[in-house]
Amino acid sequence: MPSVYLYIPNIIGYFRIIINFIAFAVCYSNKALFALLYFFSFVLDGVDGWFARKFNQASTFGAVLDMVTDRVSTACLLALLSQFYRPGLVFLILLGLDITSHWFQMYSSFLSGKTSHKDVKHTGNWLLKLYYGYRPFMAFCCVSCEVLYIILFLFADEKSTSLLSVCKGVLNQNPVVVLVFISTLVGWAVKQVTNVIQMKTAADACVVYDLKRSK
């Protein structure tokens, strides 16, 4: 039996890390290459999950590796965008929300004895259940979020740019670009709402755990 470190989905995970290193190394000198590499790494996020299910190689290590890679790569891109745009604080808030929401979810899942942070069967929120329970919906939201950030990165210039002005400029592009942009905005908005709900639900679970422990 192969070591968990050598599971196929985990090897793909290592490859994703290398791709992200290369992508961010060229992000200032070659934006198009950065966008291509970053999106390719994101696509591999879905591929490693398929391999994990196909070969029965799902692992706790792989789940953590997957989430850490996702969160760090998105955080780095948001940090970049905060330097290109004004107000940059918008992207830093999104960065904080993304990390905090997923950290709370992972930790509350651990306290509840769940094997996956995606196990939300017992939550009362329908959007959270839809997000984690219906894979195409989750994929749409995640892809929308990353594609939106890539679009903003590609349209940024060397100087600090008004976020609102760039969004208006994108809407003046050809119809295909406008359609993609609006679609990604919808998916991005749903994901942010889901992040807030996830953070609050997970925080409530931590509080319930504390109350039970104190009795």
Side-chain angles (χ1 to χ4, degrees), residues 87-143:
L89 183 61
V90 171
F91 297 102
L92 296 180
I93 290 174
L94 290 172
L95 190 162
L97 174 62
D98 187 58
I99 293 177
T100 304
S101 172
H102 285 84
W103 172 252
F104 264 104
Q105 182 68 6
M106 283 287 284
Y107 199 77
S108 66
S109 297
F110 169 75
L111 292 177
S112 303
K114 298 176 181 177
T115 57
S116 171
H117 70 282
K118 297 179 181 179
D119 182 0
V120 294
K121 307 190 286 286
H122 303 295
T123 185
N125 188 273
W126 66 270
L127 183 57
L128 206 55
K129 286 182 178 178
L130 178 63
Y131 182 78
Y132 282 118
Y134 186 53
R135 194 175 298 275
F137 179 71
M138 181 182 182
F140 168 70
C141 293
C142 292
V143 170

Short mmCIF file of all heavy atoms in Angstrom, two decimals, residues 87-143:
data_model
loop_
_atom_site.label_atom_id
_atom_site.label_comp_id
_atom_site.label_asym_id
_atom_site.label_seq_id
_atom_site.Cartn_x
_atom_site.Cartn_y
_atom_site.Cartn_z
N PRO A 87 -10.34 51.23 -3.34
CA PRO A 87 -9.71 50.96 -2.04
C PRO A 87 -9.18 49.53 -1.91
O PRO A 87 -9.94 48.57 -2.12
CB PRO A 87 -10.85 51.20 -1.05
CG PRO A 87 -12.09 50.89 -1.83
CD PRO A 87 -11.81 51.28 -3.25
N GLY A 88 -7.91 49.39 -1.58
CA GLY A 88 -7.31 48.08 -1.44
C GLY A 88 -7.85 47.31 -0.26
O GLY A 88 -7.78 46.07 -0.21
N LEU A 89 -8.44 48.03 0.71
CA LEU A 89 -8.97 47.39 1.90
C LEU A 89 -10.06 46.38 1.57
O LEU A 89 -10.25 45.39 2.29
CB LEU A 89 -9.52 48.46 2.85
CG LEU A 89 -10.06 47.97 4.21
CD1 LEU A 89 -8.96 47.28 5.00
CD2 LEU A 89 -10.65 49.13 4.99
N VAL A 90 -10.76 46.61 0.47
CA VAL A 90 -11.82 45.69 0.04
C VAL A 90 -11.28 44.27 -0.11
O VAL A 90 -11.85 43.30 0.38
CB VAL A 90 -12.45 46.15 -1.29
CG1 VAL A 90 -13.39 45.08 -1.84
CG2 VAL A 90 -13.18 47.47 -1.12
N PHE A 91 -10.12 44.16 -0.76
CA PHE A 91 -9.54 42.85 -1.02
C PHE A 91 -8.96 42.23 0.25
O PHE A 91 -8.97 41.01 0.42
CB PHE A 91 -8.47 42.96 -2.10
CG PHE A 91 -9.02 43.41 -3.43
CD1 PHE A 91 -8.88 44.71 -3.85
CD2 PHE A 91 -9.73 42.52 -4.23
CE1 PHE A 91 -9.40 45.13 -5.06
CE2 PHE A 91 -10.26 42.92 -5.44
CZ PHE A 91 -10.10 44.24 -5.86
N LEU A 92 -8.45 43.07 1.15
CA LEU A 92 -7.92 42.55 2.41
C LEU A 92 -9.05 42.03 3.30
O LEU A 92 -8.88 41.04 4.02
CB LEU A 92 -7.13 43.64 3.13
CG LEU A 92 -5.87 44.13 2.40
CD1 LEU A 92 -5.16 45.20 3.21
CD2 LEU A 92 -4.92 42.96 2.12
N ILE A 93 -10.20 42.68 3.23
CA ILE A 93 -11.38 42.20 3.98
C ILE A 93 -11.83 40.86 3.42
O ILE A 93 -12.14 39.93 4.17
CB ILE A 93 -12.53 43.22 3.91
CG1 ILE A 93 -12.17 44.48 4.72
CG2 ILE A 93 -13.83 42.61 4.43
CD1 ILE A 93 -13.17 45.61 4.59
N LEU A 94 -11.85 40.74 2.09
CA LEU A 94 -12.22 39.47 1.46
C LEU A 94 -11.23 38.37 1.83
O LEU A 94 -11.62 37.22 2.06
CB LEU A 94 -12.26 39.64 -0.06
CG LEU A 94 -13.39 40.49 -0.62
CD1 LEU A 94 -13.19 40.74 -2.11
CD2 LEU A 94 -14.74 39.84 -0.37
N LEU A 95 -9.95 38.73 1.90
CA LEU A 95 -8.92 37.77 2.30
C LEU A 95 -9.18 37.28 3.72
O LEU A 95 -9.15 36.07 3.99
CB LEU A 95 -7.54 38.45 2.20
CG LEU A 95 -6.27 37.61 2.35
CD1 LEU A 95 -5.07 38.38 1.78
CD2 LEU A 95 -5.98 37.25 3.80
N GLY A 96 -9.44 38.22 4.62
CA GLY A 96 -9.70 37.85 6.01
C GLY A 96 -10.95 37.00 6.16
O GLY A 96 -10.96 36.03 6.94
N LEU A 97 -11.99 37.34 5.41
CA LEU A 97 -13.24 36.57 5.47
C LEU A 97 -13.02 35.15 4.98
O LEU A 97 -13.50 34.19 5.60
CB LEU A 97 -14.32 37.26 4.62
CG LEU A 97 -15.64 36.49 4.47
CD1 LEU A 97 -16.31 36.29 5.82
CD2 LEU A 97 -16.58 37.23 3.51
N ASP A 98 -12.30 35.00 3.89
CA ASP A 98 -12.06 33.68 3.31
C ASP A 98 -11.31 32.77 4.29
O ASP A 98 -11.71 31.63 4.52
CB ASP A 98 -11.25 33.84 2.01
CG ASP A 98 -11.11 32.53 1.25
OD1 ASP A 98 -12.14 31.94 0.90
OD2 ASP A 98 -9.97 32.11 1.00
N ILE A 99 -10.23 33.29 4.86
CA ILE A 99 -9.42 32.47 5.78
C ILE A 99 -10.18 32.19 7.07
O ILE A 99 -10.21 31.05 7.55
CB ILE A 99 -8.08 33.18 6.08
CG1 ILE A 99 -7.22 33.22 4.82
CG2 ILE A 99 -7.35 32.47 7.21
CD1 ILE A 99 -5.91 33.95 4.98
N THR A 100 -10.79 33.22 7.64
CA THR A 100 -11.50 33.06 8.92
C THR A 100 -12.66 32.08 8.78
O THR A 100 -12.85 31.20 9.63
CB THR A 100 -12.04 34.41 9.40
OG1 THR A 100 -10.95 35.34 9.51
CG2 THR A 100 -12.71 34.27 10.77
N SER A 101 -13.43 32.24 7.72
CA SER A 101 -14.59 31.37 7.50
C SER A 101 -14.18 29.91 7.42
O SER A 101 -14.78 29.03 8.07
CB SER A 101 -15.31 31.79 6.22
OG SER A 101 -16.33 30.89 5.89
N HIS A 102 -13.15 29.61 6.64
CA HIS A 102 -12.73 28.23 6.46
C HIS A 102 -12.02 27.68 7.70
O HIS A 102 -12.14 26.49 8.02
CB HIS A 102 -11.84 28.10 5.23
CG HIS A 102 -12.60 28.18 3.94
ND1 HIS A 102 -12.94 29.37 3.34
CD2 HIS A 102 -13.12 27.21 3.14
CE1 HIS A 102 -13.62 29.13 2.24
NE2 HIS A 102 -13.74 27.83 2.09
N TRP A 103 -11.30 28.53 8.40
CA TRP A 103 -10.64 28.07 9.63
C TRP A 103 -11.68 27.70 10.68
O TRP A 103 -11.59 26.64 11.32
CB TRP A 103 -9.70 29.14 10.16
CG TRP A 103 -9.15 28.80 11.52
CD1 TRP A 103 -9.47 29.38 12.71
CD2 TRP A 103 -8.21 27.77 11.85
NE1 TRP A 103 -8.80 28.79 13.75
CE2 TRP A 103 -8.01 27.79 13.24
CE3 TRP A 103 -7.52 26.83 11.09
CZ2 TRP A 103 -7.14 26.92 13.89
CZ3 TRP A 103 -6.66 25.96 11.74
CH2 TRP A 103 -6.48 26.01 13.11
N PHE A 104 -12.67 28.55 10.87
CA PHE A 104 -13.75 28.25 11.82
C PHE A 104 -14.46 26.95 11.42
O PHE A 104 -14.77 26.11 12.28
CB PHE A 104 -14.77 29.39 11.86
CG PHE A 104 -14.54 30.38 12.97
CD1 PHE A 104 -13.98 31.61 12.71
CD2 PHE A 104 -14.89 30.07 14.27
CE1 PHE A 104 -13.77 32.53 13.73
CE2 PHE A 104 -14.69 30.98 15.30
CZ PHE A 104 -14.12 32.21 15.03
N GLN A 105 -14.72 26.79 10.12
CA GLN A 105 -15.42 25.59 9.65
C GLN A 105 -14.60 24.33 9.89
O GLN A 105 -15.13 23.31 10.35
CB GLN A 105 -15.74 25.74 8.15
CG GLN A 105 -16.52 24.57 7.56
CD GLN A 105 -17.94 24.46 8.08
OE1 GLN A 105 -18.41 25.34 8.81
NE2 GLN A 105 -18.62 23.39 7.73
N MET A 106 -13.31 24.39 9.61
CA MET A 106 -12.44 23.24 9.82
C MET A 106 -12.37 22.89 11.31
O MET A 106 -12.48 21.71 11.70
CB MET A 106 -11.02 23.54 9.30
CG MET A 106 -10.87 23.45 7.80
SD MET A 106 -10.89 21.76 7.16
CE MET A 106 -9.26 21.19 7.63
N TYR A 107 -12.21 23.90 12.15
CA TYR A 107 -12.03 23.64 13.58
C TYR A 107 -13.33 23.15 14.21
O TYR A 107 -13.32 22.24 15.05
CB TYR A 107 -11.54 24.90 14.30
CG TYR A 107 -10.90 24.59 15.64
CD1 TYR A 107 -9.61 24.09 15.69
CD2 TYR A 107 -11.59 24.78 16.83
CE1 TYR A 107 -9.01 23.78 16.90
CE2 TYR A 107 -11.01 24.47 18.04
CZ TYR A 107 -9.72 23.98 18.08
OH TYR A 107 -9.13 23.66 19.28
N SER A 108 -14.46 23.73 13.83
CA SER A 108 -15.74 23.28 14.38
C SER A 108 -16.06 21.86 13.93
O SER A 108 -16.64 21.08 14.69
CB SER A 108 -16.87 24.23 13.97
OG SER A 108 -17.09 24.19 12.57
N SER A 109 -15.65 21.51 12.71
CA SER A 109 -15.84 20.15 12.22
C SER A 109 -15.01 19.17 13.04
O SER A 109 -15.46 18.07 13.39
CB SER A 109 -15.44 20.04 10.74
OG SER A 109 -16.26 20.86 9.94
N PHE A 110 -13.80 19.58 13.38
CA PHE A 110 -12.91 18.76 14.21
C PHE A 110 -13.52 18.55 15.59
O PHE A 110 -13.53 17.42 16.11
CB PHE A 110 -11.55 19.45 14.33
CG PHE A 110 -10.64 18.84 15.36
CD1 PHE A 110 -10.01 17.63 15.12
CD2 PHE A 110 -10.42 19.49 16.57
CE1 PHE A 110 -9.17 17.07 16.08
CE2 PHE A 110 -9.59 18.93 17.54
CZ PHE A 110 -8.96 17.72 17.29
N LEU A 111 -14.07 19.60 16.18
CA LEU A 111 -14.68 19.49 17.50
C LEU A 111 -15.92 18.59 17.48
O LEU A 111 -16.23 17.93 18.47
CB LEU A 111 -15.08 20.88 18.01
CG LEU A 111 -13.95 21.85 18.36
CD1 LEU A 111 -14.52 23.20 18.78
CD2 LEU A 111 -13.07 21.28 19.47
N SER A 112 -16.61 18.59 16.35
CA SER A 112 -17.83 17.79 16.22
C SER A 112 -17.55 16.33 15.86
O SER A 112 -18.48 15.53 15.76
CB SER A 112 -18.75 18.41 15.16
OG SER A 112 -19.06 19.74 15.48
N GLY A 113 -16.27 16.02 15.63
CA GLY A 113 -15.91 14.65 15.29
C GLY A 113 -16.19 14.29 13.84
O GLY A 113 -16.23 13.11 13.49
N LYS A 114 -16.37 15.29 12.99
CA LYS A 114 -16.63 15.03 11.57
C LYS A 114 -15.32 14.77 10.84
O LYS A 114 -14.27 15.29 11.22
CB LYS A 114 -17.36 16.22 10.93
CG LYS A 114 -18.72 16.50 11.54
CD LYS A 114 -19.35 17.73 10.93
CE LYS A 114 -20.71 18.04 11.55
NZ LYS A 114 -21.30 19.27 11.00
N THR A 115 -15.40 13.98 9.78
CA THR A 115 -14.20 13.67 9.01
C THR A 115 -13.94 14.69 7.90
O THR A 115 -12.86 14.70 7.32
CB THR A 115 -14.33 12.27 8.36
OG1 THR A 115 -15.51 12.24 7.54
CG2 THR A 115 -14.43 11.19 9.43
N SER A 116 -14.92 15.54 7.61
CA SER A 116 -14.76 16.53 6.56
C SER A 116 -15.47 17.83 6.93
O SER A 116 -16.55 17.80 7.52
CB SER A 116 -15.31 16.01 5.23
OG SER A 116 -15.35 17.03 4.24
N HIS A 117 -14.86 18.95 6.57
CA HIS A 117 -15.48 20.24 6.83
C HIS A 117 -16.68 20.47 5.91
O HIS A 117 -17.46 21.39 6.11
CB HIS A 117 -14.47 21.37 6.64
CG HIS A 117 -14.06 21.59 5.21
ND1 HIS A 117 -13.17 20.78 4.56
CD2 HIS A 117 -14.44 22.53 4.31
CE1 HIS A 117 -13.01 21.20 3.33
NE2 HIS A 117 -13.77 22.27 3.14
N LYS A 118 -16.82 19.61 4.89
CA LYS A 118 -17.94 19.73 3.95
C LYS A 118 -19.19 19.01 4.44
O LYS A 118 -20.22 19.03 3.77
CB LYS A 118 -17.53 19.20 2.58
CG LYS A 118 -16.40 20.00 1.94
CD LYS A 118 -16.00 19.43 0.59
CE LYS A 118 -14.86 20.22 -0.03
NZ LYS A 118 -14.44 19.67 -1.34
N ASP A 119 -19.08 18.36 5.59
CA ASP A 119 -20.22 17.65 6.17
C ASP A 119 -21.09 18.66 6.92
O ASP A 119 -20.82 19.02 8.06
CB ASP A 119 -19.73 16.56 7.12
CG ASP A 119 -20.88 15.75 7.73
OD1 ASP A 119 -22.05 16.04 7.41
OD2 ASP A 119 -20.61 14.84 8.53
N VAL A 120 -22.15 19.14 6.24
CA VAL A 120 -23.03 20.16 6.84
C VAL A 120 -24.47 19.65 6.90
O VAL A 120 -25.41 20.45 6.90
CB VAL A 120 -22.95 21.49 6.05
CG1 VAL A 120 -21.57 22.11 6.18
CG2 VAL A 120 -23.31 21.27 4.59
N LYS A 121 -24.63 18.34 6.97
CA LYS A 121 -25.98 17.76 6.98
C LYS A 121 -26.83 18.28 8.14
O LYS A 121 -28.04 18.44 8.01
CB LYS A 121 -25.92 16.23 7.10
CG LYS A 121 -25.08 15.51 6.13
CD LYS A 121 -25.31 14.00 6.22
CE LYS A 121 -24.66 13.43 7.46
NZ LYS A 121 -23.19 13.37 7.32
N HIS A 122 -26.16 18.54 9.27
CA HIS A 122 -26.91 18.89 10.47
C HIS A 122 -27.09 20.40 10.65
O HIS A 122 -27.68 20.84 11.64
CB HIS A 122 -26.20 18.31 11.71
CG HIS A 122 -26.00 16.83 11.64
ND1 HIS A 122 -27.07 15.94 11.62
CD2 HIS A 122 -24.88 16.07 11.56
CE1 HIS A 122 -26.61 14.71 11.55
NE2 HIS A 122 -25.29 14.75 11.50
N THR A 123 -26.59 21.18 9.70
CA THR A 123 -26.79 22.62 9.80
C THR A 123 -28.21 22.97 9.36
O THR A 123 -28.82 22.27 8.55
CB THR A 123 -25.77 23.39 8.93
OG1 THR A 123 -25.93 24.79 9.14
CG2 THR A 123 -26.00 23.09 7.46
N GLY A 124 -28.72 24.07 9.88
CA GLY A 124 -30.09 24.45 9.54
C GLY A 124 -30.16 25.41 8.37
O GLY A 124 -31.25 25.78 7.93
N ASN A 125 -29.00 25.81 7.83
CA ASN A 125 -29.00 26.80 6.75
C ASN A 125 -29.06 26.14 5.38
O ASN A 125 -28.19 25.34 5.03
CB ASN A 125 -27.75 27.68 6.87
CG ASN A 125 -27.79 28.86 5.91
OD1 ASN A 125 -27.38 28.74 4.76
ND2 ASN A 125 -28.31 29.98 6.37
N TRP A 126 -30.06 26.50 4.59
CA TRP A 126 -30.26 25.86 3.28
C TRP A 126 -29.16 26.21 2.28
O TRP A 126 -28.78 25.37 1.46
CB TRP A 126 -31.62 26.26 2.71
CG TRP A 126 -31.74 27.73 2.36
CD1 TRP A 126 -32.16 28.74 3.17
CD2 TRP A 126 -31.38 28.34 1.10
NE1 TRP A 126 -32.10 29.94 2.50
CE2 TRP A 126 -31.63 29.72 1.22
CE3 TRP A 126 -30.89 27.84 -0.11
CZ2 TRP A 126 -31.40 30.61 0.19
CZ3 TRP A 126 -30.66 28.74 -1.15
CH2 TRP A 126 -30.91 30.11 -0.99
N LEU A 127 -28.63 27.45 2.35
CA LEU A 127 -27.59 27.85 1.39
C LEU A 127 -26.31 27.08 1.63
O LEU A 127 -25.64 26.64 0.68
CB LEU A 127 -27.33 29.36 1.49
CG LEU A 127 -26.32 29.93 0.49
CD1 LEU A 127 -26.74 29.63 -0.94
CD2 LEU A 127 -26.15 31.43 0.69
N LEU A 128 -25.95 26.87 2.88
CA LEU A 128 -24.75 26.12 3.22
C LEU A 128 -24.89 24.66 2.78
O LEU A 128 -23.95 24.06 2.26
CB LEU A 128 -24.49 26.20 4.73
CG LEU A 128 -23.04 26.02 5.20
CD1 LEU A 128 -22.12 27.02 4.50
CD2 LEU A 128 -22.97 26.19 6.71
N LYS A 129 -26.09 24.11 2.96
CA LYS A 129 -26.35 22.74 2.52
C LYS A 129 -26.27 22.63 1.01
O LYS A 129 -25.73 21.65 0.47
CB LYS A 129 -27.73 22.28 3.01
CG LYS A 129 -27.81 21.96 4.49
CD LYS A 129 -29.20 21.48 4.86
CE LYS A 129 -29.28 21.11 6.33
NZ LYS A 129 -30.64 20.67 6.72
N LEU A 130 -26.81 23.63 0.32
CA LEU A 130 -26.77 23.63 -1.15
C LEU A 130 -25.34 23.75 -1.64
O LEU A 130 -24.92 23.06 -2.58
CB LEU A 130 -27.61 24.79 -1.69
CG LEU A 130 -27.64 24.97 -3.21
CD1 LEU A 130 -28.26 23.75 -3.89
CD2 LEU A 130 -28.41 26.23 -3.59
N TYR A 131 -24.57 24.62 -0.99
CA TYR A 131 -23.19 24.88 -1.40
C TYR A 131 -22.33 23.63 -1.30
O TYR A 131 -21.61 23.27 -2.24
CB TYR A 131 -22.61 26.00 -0.53
CG TYR A 131 -21.20 26.40 -0.90
CD1 TYR A 131 -20.95 27.22 -1.99
CD2 TYR A 131 -20.11 25.95 -0.14
CE1 TYR A 131 -19.66 27.59 -2.33
CE2 TYR A 131 -18.81 26.32 -0.47
CZ TYR A 131 -18.60 27.13 -1.57
OH TYR A 131 -17.31 27.50 -1.90
N TYR A 132 -22.39 22.95 -0.18
CA TYR A 132 -21.56 21.76 0.02
C TYR A 132 -22.23 20.47 -0.47
O TYR A 132 -21.55 19.47 -0.71
CB TYR A 132 -21.19 21.61 1.49
CG TYR A 132 -20.07 22.53 1.93
CD1 TYR A 132 -20.28 23.49 2.92
CD2 TYR A 132 -18.82 22.44 1.36
CE1 TYR A 132 -19.25 24.34 3.32
CE2 TYR A 132 -17.79 23.29 1.74
CZ TYR A 132 -18.01 24.23 2.73
OH TYR A 132 -16.99 25.07 3.11
N GLY A 133 -23.54 20.50 -0.61
CA GLY A 133 -24.26 19.28 -0.99
C GLY A 133 -24.46 19.10 -2.48
O GLY A 133 -24.66 17.98 -2.94
N TYR A 134 -24.40 20.20 -3.24
CA TYR A 134 -24.62 20.11 -4.69
C TYR A 134 -23.35 20.59 -5.38
O TYR A 134 -23.11 21.79 -5.51
CB TYR A 134 -25.82 20.97 -5.08
CG TYR A 134 -26.23 20.83 -6.53
CD1 TYR A 134 -26.47 19.58 -7.10
CD2 TYR A 134 -26.37 21.96 -7.34
CE1 TYR A 134 -26.84 19.45 -8.44
CE2 TYR A 134 -26.74 21.84 -8.67
CZ TYR A 134 -26.98 20.58 -9.20
OH TYR A 134 -27.34 20.47 -10.53
N ARG A 135 -22.55 19.65 -5.83
CA ARG A 135 -21.21 19.95 -6.36
C ARG A 135 -21.19 20.97 -7.50
O ARG A 135 -20.34 21.86 -7.51
CB ARG A 135 -20.53 18.64 -6.78
CG ARG A 135 -19.04 18.76 -7.02
CD ARG A 135 -18.43 17.40 -7.31
NE ARG A 135 -18.59 16.50 -6.18
CZ ARG A 135 -17.76 16.45 -5.17
NH1 ARG A 135 -16.72 17.27 -5.12
NH2 ARG A 135 -17.95 15.60 -4.18
N PRO A 136 -22.12 20.89 -8.49
CA PRO A 136 -22.09 21.90 -9.58
C PRO A 136 -22.28 23.33 -9.07
O PRO A 136 -21.68 24.26 -9.61
CB PRO A 136 -23.26 21.46 -10.48
CG PRO A 136 -23.40 20.00 -10.23
CD PRO A 136 -23.11 19.82 -8.77
N PHE A 137 -23.13 23.50 -8.04
CA PHE A 137 -23.36 24.84 -7.49
C PHE A 137 -22.09 25.36 -6.82
O PHE A 137 -21.70 26.52 -7.00
CB PHE A 137 -24.52 24.79 -6.49
CG PHE A 137 -24.82 26.12 -5.85
CD1 PHE A 137 -25.40 27.13 -6.58
CD2 PHE A 137 -24.52 26.34 -4.51
CE1 PHE A 137 -25.68 28.37 -5.99
CE2 PHE A 137 -24.79 27.56 -3.91
CZ PHE A 137 -25.38 28.57 -4.66
N MET A 138 -21.45 24.49 -6.05
CA MET A 138 -20.20 24.87 -5.38
C MET A 138 -19.13 25.21 -6.41
O MET A 138 -18.39 26.19 -6.25
CB MET A 138 -19.74 23.72 -4.48
CG MET A 138 -18.45 24.02 -3.71
SD MET A 138 -17.96 22.59 -2.72
CE MET A 138 -16.50 23.24 -1.92
N ALA A 139 -19.07 24.40 -7.47
CA ALA A 139 -18.08 24.63 -8.53
C ALA A 139 -18.32 25.98 -9.20
O ALA A 139 -17.37 26.73 -9.47
CB ALA A 139 -18.13 23.50 -9.56
N PHE A 140 -19.59 26.30 -9.47
CA PHE A 140 -19.92 27.58 -10.10
C PHE A 140 -19.45 28.74 -9.24
O PHE A 140 -18.83 29.70 -9.74
CB PHE A 140 -21.42 27.68 -10.34
CG PHE A 140 -21.89 29.06 -10.71
CD1 PHE A 140 -21.58 29.60 -11.95
CD2 PHE A 140 -22.62 29.83 -9.81
CE1 PHE A 140 -21.99 30.89 -12.29
CE2 PHE A 140 -23.03 31.11 -10.14
CZ PHE A 140 -22.72 31.65 -11.39
N CYS A 141 -19.73 28.68 -7.94
CA CYS A 141 -19.34 29.77 -7.04
C CYS A 141 -17.83 29.91 -6.94
O CYS A 141 -17.29 31.03 -7.00
CB CYS A 141 -19.93 29.52 -5.64
SG CYS A 141 -21.73 29.61 -5.57
N CYS A 142 -17.13 28.78 -6.81
CA CYS A 142 -15.67 28.82 -6.68
C CYS A 142 -14.99 29.29 -7.96
O CYS A 142 -14.09 30.14 -7.92
CB CYS A 142 -15.14 27.44 -6.29
SG CYS A 142 -15.61 26.91 -4.62
N VAL A 143 -15.44 28.77 -9.10
CA VAL A 143 -14.87 29.18 -10.38
C VAL A 143 -15.14 30.66 -10.63
O VAL A 143 -14.26 31.41 -11.06
CB VAL A 143 -15.45 28.33 -11.54
CG1 VAL A 143 -15.04 28.91 -12.89
CG2 VAL A 143 -14.99 26.88 -11.43
#
